[in-house]
Structures are given as C-alpha cells and as structure tokens.
C-alpha cells in the first residue's frame, strides 16, 4: 500500500445504500463501525489505514435510519451500541468463533423505553462501569447500567423540552486531582485513598441549552447541576474534553445558530466561562461566502476532541472539517481545514 501522509484522506467503500451518519473507530483503531439511513450498522477491520472488504459485518435490527454508533471500552469485550430514528438503542456483542461458521455479532440488549428518535449514545468512562447515556427527541435522557448479575438497569428522566440531540460524559478523574496534594498522608503500609471518580455528563437540547447532570449517591438519581446558556438555536452536539487531572475543564458545543462555543471552568467551584470560536479571525476560508464574525458559514453539526483533549475538530454543514487549538495567550485558532 502506498504510504499516505496525514494530509491525504483515504476514501472508504462501505457498501451502505444510503447516507452515512456516523463512523467510529474502536479503542485500538483496528475496527471501524459505520451507520446509515439504510437501517444497518457495518463493522470493518482496518489494516494499515484501509478497511478490509472481506472482513465486513452488517448488523441488522433497526427499522429506521441509524444516527450514531459507540464502542464500549475493550475491557467489557467487543461491544457496540447503536441508536436510531425507530426509538431503539441496540447493544451488540461480537461472539468469539468456537469453530468454522460460528462467531459474529449478536444483539445482547434492545432498549425501547423512548417514544421518539434516539439521536445520540455515549459510553461512560470505563472506570465507572458499563454505562450508556442516550438522548432522545422525546425530550428524555436515559442511562443504561450493566449490573453484575447480568441485567441492565435503566434511569429515564426529562432532559430538554422539545428534544435532546447529544450527550457527552465528563472524564472520570476529578479536575485538579493530578496537581492537588493528597488529603492526608497515608499510614506506612496502607494503600493511599483511591481517587474519587464522579458520574457526570452534559446534554445538548432543542431548547438551545446545554445541561450538566450529576449522579446523586444519596437519592440514587440524576440531578441537573448547571445550565449553560449561550446558543440562540438548537444545540446539535456537545463534547466534554478528556482530562488527565488538570484543574481546568473544557466543553465544546455546536449549534444550528452556526456557532461553536468553548466553555471553560478553571476550578471545580468556578463558573463556566464561554468563548465563541471565530472562524473569520483564523484561516481565511477558501472560496464560498465568508460568514459574519463569530459565525461559521453553515450549521455546525459535530464537535470532537483529540485524545489528549487539546485539539478540537469542528464539522460544518459546508462540508469542511476545521481543527482548532488554544494558543499560549488563551485564544482559539484554526490550525487546519479539510474539505470532505
């Protein structure tokens, strides 16, 4: 295979019969899952950056367009979640082949508690367990938890008026835990106290709001902790940046109002501060109508952080993906733009 540089995108033939809505690589970057309006999910092996046609699996079970797929952490096995316009969330598991003609993907759970399209699914950090958050057009959010006895528990609660478009989990590590001194010096020979992990996620809604939800151990229920107001139209996507334990937290949100906002929180007790990305101040767009300051040329559909949490990819309705990075002065700059 000819060597490819980062600047050369490789087209992938999926054999989907309709529009593709999502594509996700697994934890190791060795499998690619795609989903489409043709009501199927497909899984491919990726070798040297190319998908292997012979290794493709087609997963059928949805009766409407499939909007999103999400891989669970490999410590739980080869597990994939998909959500669809049909109101269902399906969790698939790959069974290991015991002999010729065996193996393949099977449904291990079908979640049908929503009354409208399920638009987004997101697995919690693996430290918290096998937990899946789902966002639906019925305005509700559901959290599925795989229990030790092999059953699934489900919490369903009102999230956003009109509908919920996306969910994204906070990192399991507490912000600042890397630089904070230990609370007490452990007794020699004793294990130091475990770092307290926290169950928290953000949701994006059709009410133009982003809400942050935390799990209350006292009431065993999900409670709204904060509401982020800043968009003037539907919030299409939300992405909480990975964190290794530094004090500052970042959330990116993308909206129908053609803006992307970066929300920062310097310490666990400080308020969230919003900073809109300004495409007009960065790389001049090649061709096309230039957008007004602070606005992208079209609706912004998706935002996604790099694994290190320092680069943000923004996918816009004009077919462009732009990469953004915060400079040393705290200003967000566009460092790359790619046209699909």
């Amino acid at each position: 295979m000819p060597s490819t540089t980062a600047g050369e995108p490789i087209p992938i033939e999926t054999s989907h019969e309709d529009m593709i809505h999502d594509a996700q690589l697994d934890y190791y970057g060795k499998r690619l899952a795609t989903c489409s309006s043709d009501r199927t999910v497909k899984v491919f092996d990726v070798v040297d950056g190319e998908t292997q046609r012979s290794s493709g699996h087609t997963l059928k079970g949805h009766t409407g367009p499939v909007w999103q797929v999400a891989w669970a952490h490999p410590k739980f096995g080869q597990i994939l979640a998909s959500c669809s316009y049909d109101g269902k969330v399906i969790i698939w598991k790959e069974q290991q082949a015991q002999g010729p003609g065996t193996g393949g993907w099977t449904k291990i759970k079908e979640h049908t508690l929503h009354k409208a399209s399920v638009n987004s699914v997101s697995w919690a950090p693996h430290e918290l367990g096998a937990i899946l958050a789902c966002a639906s057009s019925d305005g509700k959010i559901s959290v599925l938890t795989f229990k030790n006895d092999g059953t699934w528990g489900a919490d369903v609660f009102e999230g956003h008026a009109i509908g919920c478009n996306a969910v994204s989990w906070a990192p399991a590590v507490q912000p600042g835990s890397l630089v904070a001194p230990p609370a007490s010096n452990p007794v020699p020979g004793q294990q130091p106290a475990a770092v307290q992990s926290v169950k928290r996620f953000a949701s994006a809604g059709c009410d133009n709001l982003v809400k942050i939800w935390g799990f209350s151990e006292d009431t065993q229920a999900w409670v709204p902790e904060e509401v982020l107001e800043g968009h003037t139209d539907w919030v299409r996507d939300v992405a909480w940046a990975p964190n290794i334990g530094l004090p500052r937290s970042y959330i990116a949100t993308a909206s129908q109002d053609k803006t992307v906002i970066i929300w920062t929180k310097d310490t666990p007790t400080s308020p969230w501060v919003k900073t809109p990305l300004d495409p007009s101040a960065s790389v001049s767009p090649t061709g096309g109508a230039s957008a007004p300051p602070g606005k992208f040329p079209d609706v912004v559909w998706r935002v996604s952080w790099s694994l290190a949490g320092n680069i943000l990819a923004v996918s816009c309705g004009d077919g462009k993906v732009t990469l953004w990075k915060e400079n040393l002065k705290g200003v967000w700059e566009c460092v790359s733009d790619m046209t699909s």
Side-chain angles (χ1 to χ4, degrees):
M1 172 195 158
S3 66
T4 57
T5 64
E8 296 177 33
I10 304 170
I12 292 169
E13 175 50 63
T14 63
S15 302
H16 276 300
E17 294 166 7
D18 208 330
M19 183 183 288
I20 297 169
H21 297 293
D22 197 19
Q24 295 288 340
L25 288 164
D26 73 349
Y27 181 82
Y28 298 113
K30 298 288 188 193
R31 317 283 294 279
L32 176 71
T34 60
C35 61
S36 162
S37 282
D38 66 8
R39 308 193 294 280
T40 67
V41 173
K42 291 182 186 273
V43 179
F44 305 91
D45 290 336
V46 178
V47 179
D48 293 332
E50 291 195 345
T51 56
Q52 306 299 298
R53 288 296 303 278
S54 58
S55 63
H57 296 270
T58 302
L59 316 186
K60 294 180 179 176
H62 286 293
T63 55
V66 187
W67 301 131
Q68 226 174 58
V69 285
W71 291 95
H73 190 274
K75 81 176 190 185
F76 303 115
Q78 287 288 320
I79 290 180
L80 185 66
S82 59
C83 63
S84 166
Y85 180 78
D86 62 13
K88 289 193 289 199
V89 174
I90 297 179
I91 297 173
W92 312 82
K93 180 167 186 174
E94 186 178 36
Q95 309 296 341
Q96 292 306 315
Q98 302 298 324
T102 63
W105 290 84
T106 56
K107 255 190 243 185
I108 58 168
K109 170 71 180 169
E110 195 168 292
H111 168 46
T112 54
L113 294 178
H114 288 291
K115 296 182 173 62
S117 172
V118 182
N119 303 316
S120 178
V121 282
S122 176
W123 290 98
H126 66 89
E127 299 93 330
L128 303 177
I131 304 176
L132 183 73
C134 317
S136 171
S137 291
D138 62 10
K140 293 187 171 70
I141 297 168
S142 59
V143 180
L144 298 179
T145 306
F146 186 67
K147 299 180 178 170
N148 292 333
D149 61 2
T151 62
W152 291 85
D155 294 310
V156 185
F157 50 94
E158 286 292 339
H160 295 265
I162 326 174
C164 188
N165 295 319
V167 279
S168 178
W169 287 85
V173 289
Q174 286 275 23
S177 58
L178 185 69
V179 292
S184 60
N185 293 324
V187 179
Q190 274 193 354
Q191 289 286 330
V195 175
Q196 182 64 33
S197 57
V198 58
K199 291 181 185 171
R200 184 173 286 130
F201 66 86
S203 63
C206 300
D207 52 7
N208 310 349
L209 301 176
V210 175
K211 293 185 181 178
I212 293 172
W213 305 85
F215 188 72
S216 164
E217 296 293 344
D218 299 337
T219 60
Q220 290 293 297
W222 291 91
V223 292
E225 294 181 336
E226 293 180 89
V227 176
L228 308 184
E229 297 185 45
H231 288 293
T232 57
D233 206 335
W234 289 17
V235 188
R236 285 288 178 188
D237 199 18
V238 57
W240 204 310
N243 189 332
I244 54 168
L246 295 173
R248 181 177 281 189
S249 300
Y250 291 92
I251 293 175
T253 55
S255 169
Q256 192 82 17
D257 66 13
K258 304 183 181 178
T259 67
V260 172
I261 295 178
I262 309 284
W263 306 83
T264 50
K265 189 183 177 87
D266 287 333
T267 67
T269 52
S270 20
W272 289 94
V273 176
K274 64 179 180 186
T275 308
L277 295 188
D278 187 1
S280 63
S282 300
V283 179
S284 57
T286 51
S290 60
K295 295 242 180 188
F296 282 77
D298 207 331
V299 172
V300 190
W301 287 99
R302 296 290 287 273
V303 279
S304 176
W305 293 97
S306 63
L307 282 177
N310 61 342
I311 295 179
L312 178 72
V314 174
S315 173
C316 185
D318 65 354
K320 273 213 183 98
V321 175
T322 48
L323 302 183
W324 296 76
K325 195 170 185 179
E326 189 177 21
N327 67 18
L328 296 174
K329 295 176 183 169
V331 176
W332 287 86
E333 297 177 322
C334 180
V335 292
S336 167
D337 93 20
M338 300 166 278
T339 304
S340 61

